[in-house]
Amino acid sequence: IPVDPFDLVIFGGTGDLARRKIFPALFRRFVAGQIEGDVRLIGAARSEMDRAAYRAMVRAAIAEFGGEEARRKKDLAAFLDLLDYVMVDARGTAGWSDLAGKMRKDRIRAFYFSVAPALFGDLAKRLHKHGMADAASRIVVEKPFGRDLETARDLNRVLARHFEERQIYRIDHYLGKETVQNLMAIRFGNVLFEPLWNSQYVDHIQITVAESVGVGGRGDYYDKSGAMRDMVQNHMMQLLCLIAMEPPAKFDPDAVRDEKLKVIRALDPVKGADVVRGQYEAQEDKPDYRVQVDNPESTTESFVALKVHISNWRWAGTPFYLRTGKRLRERASEIAVVFKDAPHSIFGPEAGRHRNILTIKLQPNEGIELGVTIKEPGPGGMRLIDVPLDMTFAEALGPEEADFPDAYERLIMDVIRGNQTLFMRGDEVEAAWAWTDPVIAEWEDEGAAPLPYASGSSGPDDALMLMHRDGRRWREIR
Ligand code: BG6
């Protein structure tokens, strides 16, 4: 269904995110027929550039990052026609009246702040001063939303001076992933799981987001963040919330976000002994972390594993284990819900220990697997084995249906539609920082270096110990 006509201004319109994600996503929605005719996409940045040069830049970006669709020459030409460019100085006066002149009345106006957070306030102020923002306008902001509670609060305050919460779309691109949204469908669309979804039946939950890539060219940013700020505070936290939250009464923005917030607020503080940090070593031709970020003394972590409890009725006593890292064996993200043993085994001790495990695979092969215990075939008596009831979405739905849109496609269209369900609310972000801050502060106080781990491994051995000492183990990253 096409969205209503809109004008979208992308500040930072020549930047990496615009080229890699925003324009390719807009283009794919255009090809899909969701963006039609009367739309204007206006890049705004500091460089002097005319419209033709800007279009050429976006054309090249789509050719590089747009996938299959980029070959559709006619569509691409029509899409590029929607583009315009204005040179603006975020902190000065240049370009602002030009930009204002291009915005039309009676259109949804959205402003994408794909710029350093330090500029959010400058942009918001100038949008108002030049009469571009009205009560129906929306702004989109990216992570990192602050680097701790204090800076996040400051950003929220700055934005709140000019915009209401219902106008602010804070992106966590994990929420735009089809399979992440599917977590809610699996939990609340089936009657099967929810009665068991609590500490009475669930032994523990594991959330893994493993990446095989290193920090690449983002060393500068990454070395000031580390895995805790880059992944745990936002993406992992969102996964944890969706897995652990109470059923919201409706699938509506505040109902969902209220429930997520309650989870974050119920998280226990994490003790030092329950966290493991790691930093990757070199591998053949690939440099180690410190070389890659060009900081020989760096004590930033590229891996973190931790155990946390949620102190509420549903989850008291069921630990959640989280781990994420770069340069690990495979790119694999999954959530495993490990159920408790049957209360009594009628088959005696020789039947061994068997547990049902529900695994929700987020990427790369999206699907669900349920480990079920059955009798081992054959005449050898009652021996039990575990077999998977296994379903990749691509097999179940067909490759076409399972060709999921990129997270940004969904999220940008939600901005235009005015649906905030998959965006983070200000209080949620603050609560997440309030939980991560003390963990990071402890590391900073100690000044301790993270543990080295081999590239291509599953992280430092201590991360395995984190589970072993509780009589549990991580699922293999594969
Ligand atoms: C980003 C992080 O938010 O998410 C990156 O800054 C990380 O460090 C990326 O690589 C992972 O996203 P995805 O979609 O590839 O799992």
Side-chain angles (χ1 to χ4, degrees), residues 12 85 192 197 204 226 265 293-294 309 311 324 339 342 354 360 369 400 422 425 436:
Y85 180 79
L192 212 55
W197 213 260
H204 73 278
R265 291 197 171 146
V293 301
D294 196 18
H309 278 98
S311 281
T324 182
F339 290 92
H354 296 273
I360 302 156
E369 183 185 298
E400 231 99 302
L422 301 176
R425 211 167 54 191
T436 32

Side-chain angles (χ1 to χ4, degrees), residues 60-211:
I62 291 175
E64 191 173 350
F65 305 111
E68 281 292 297
E69 278 92 344
R71 287 205 225 123
R72 301 169 68 134
K73 294 259 162 9
K74 245 179 151 175
D75 284 334
L76 186 54
F79 177 77
L80 293 174
D81 267 351
L82 309 177
L83 288 180
D84 206 340
Y85 180 79
V86 186
M87 193 283 287
V88 287
D89 178 0
R91 295 207 151 126
T93 50
W96 286 95
S97 355
D98 268 6
L99 182 59
K102 293 192 188 280
M103 307 293 298
R104 295 166 301 170
K105 291 215 158 49
D106 313 325
R107 292 282 176 290
I108 296 167
R109 296 169 180 195
F111 302 93
Y112 204 126
F113 290 8
S114 177
V115 297
L119 296 176
F120 288 179
D122 297 299
L123 294 180
K125 196 159 98 192
R126 284 167 178 74
L127 285 175
H128 272 273
K129 187 167 160 219
H130 292 270
M132 280 182 262
D134 58 23
S137 315
R138 289 129 217 205
I139 57 165
V140 185
V141 296
E142 277 286 338
K143 83 175 253 277
F145 197 83
R147 54 177 285 106
D148 52 22
L149 176 58
E150 198 185 326
T151 47
R153 269 195 188 136
D154 286 346
L155 287 177
N156 276 335
R157 248 183 250 127
V158 161
L159 294 177
R161 248 176 247 147
H162 304 281
F163 294 94
E164 288 178 36
E165 183 61 35
R166 62 173 177 79
Q167 299 179 279
I168 305 172
Y169 290 72
R170 294 178 196 77
I171 288 203
D172 181 312
H173 80 281
Y174 266 54
L175 289 176
K177 287 181 190 273
E178 196 69 25
T179 38
V180 173
Q181 293 166 52
N182 216 348
L183 290 176
M184 286 182 278
I186 290 167
R187 282 193 62 194
F188 306 130
N190 295 286
V191 74
L192 212 55
F193 303 118
E194 204 52 25
L196 307 179
W197 213 260
N198 56 54
S199 60
Q200 198 184 339
Y201 293 101
V202 178
D203 177 74
H204 73 278
I205 290 180
Q206 306 184 11
I207 305 181
T208 299
V209 177
E211 295 186 275

Side-chain angles (χ1 to χ4, degrees), residues 204-439:
H204 73 278
I205 290 180
Q206 306 184 11
I207 305 181
T208 299
V209 177
E211 295 186 275
S212 52
V213 292
V215 296
R218 298 164 70 230
D220 228 19
Y221 150 78
Y222 193 90
D223 201 40
K224 294 191 197 85
S225 304
M228 194 72 178
R229 288 191 172 98
D230 184 54
M231 295 294 288
V232 178
Q233 187 271 346
N234 37 79
H235 306 325
M236 305 279 288
M237 181 67 75
Q238 291 298 325
L239 298 179
L240 174 70
C241 285
L242 297 181
I243 279 291
M245 72 185 184
E246 296 301 316
K250 298 186 267 199
F251 190 58
D252 98 356
D254 280 326
V256 171
R257 298 185 299 177
D258 286 347
E259 295 307 333
K260 288 197 294 171
L261 181 63
K262 284 187 214 158
V263 173
I264 306 175
R265 291 197 171 146
L267 289 175
D268 279 0
V270 174
K271 293 188 236 74
D274 290 340
V275 200
V276 176
R277 314 163 72 209
Q279 198 183 64
Y280 60 78
E281 296 176 315
Q283 180 188 37
E284 290 159 16
D285 53 332
K286 295 187 197 134
D288 69 21
Y289 176 83
R290 293 178 176 193
V291 170
Q292 218 169 10
V293 301
D294 196 18
N295 178 4
E297 305 289 318
S298 174
T299 56
T300 302
E301 77 286 353
S302 61
F303 174 97
V304 62
L306 60 86
K307 173 166 92 164
V308 62
H309 278 98
I310 302 176
S311 281
N312 64 17
W313 269 61
R314 186 188 282 262
W315 293 118
T318 296
F320 286 69
Y321 297 89
L322 275 50
R323 71 178 158 166
T324 182
K326 300 213 181 266
R327 282 272 193 88
L328 297 177
R329 186 171 301 146
E330 296 284 348
R331 175 171 187 252
S333 304
E334 62 167 46
I335 298 170
V337 181
V338 180
F339 290 92
K340 289 190 171 168
D341 294 1
H344 165 69
S345 170
I346 63 167
F347 307 111
E350 50 297 348
R353 184 182 193 188
H354 296 273
R355 286 185 153 177
N356 299 120
I357 302 179
L358 175 70
T359 312
I360 302 156
K361 298 178 186 171
L362 303 176
Q363 53 193 28
N365 299 313
E366 298 92 343
I368 309 181
E369 183 185 298
L370 179 62
V372 180
T373 303
I374 60 163
K375 177 186 172 302
E376 187 177 40
M382 204 49 159
R383 292 218 186 85
L384 303 185
I385 52 169
D386 296 327
V387 292
L389 274 179
D390 194 357
M391 180 189 80
T392 68
F393 294 143
E395 275 167 24
L397 306 172
E400 231 99 302
E401 284 293 319
D403 182 16
F404 300 135
D406 181 74
Y408 278 87
E409 295 179 49
R410 164 75 197 239
L411 294 176
I412 298 173
M413 290 301 95
D414 277 359
V415 172
I416 305 301
R417 282 190 289 244
N419 184 347
Q420 285 186 307
T421 311
L422 301 176
F423 295 83
M424 293 178 299
R425 211 167 54 191
D427 49 4
E428 226 184 304
V429 182
E430 290 185 11
W433 281 121
W435 177 75
T436 32
D437 275 2
V439 183

Side-chain angles (χ1 to χ4, degrees), residues 3 6 8-10 18 20-36 39-42 54 58 62 66 75 79 82-83 112 406 408-413 416:
V3 292
F6 64 93
L8 171 66
V9 178
I10 299 149
R20 280 172 191 275
K21 294 287 183 188
I22 303 175
F23 282 116
L26 285 165
F27 177 57
R28 282 196 293 269
R29 286 299 91 204
F30 179 78
V31 172
Q34 205 169 8
I35 297 177
E36 292 185 331
V39 160
R40 241 176 233 178
L41 307 171
I42 306 170
Y54 191 61
V58 173
I62 291 175
D75 284 334
F79 177 77
L82 309 177
L83 288 180
Y112 204 126
D406 181 74
Y408 278 87
E409 295 179 49
R410 164 75 197 239
L411 294 176
I412 298 173
M413 290 301 95
I416 305 301

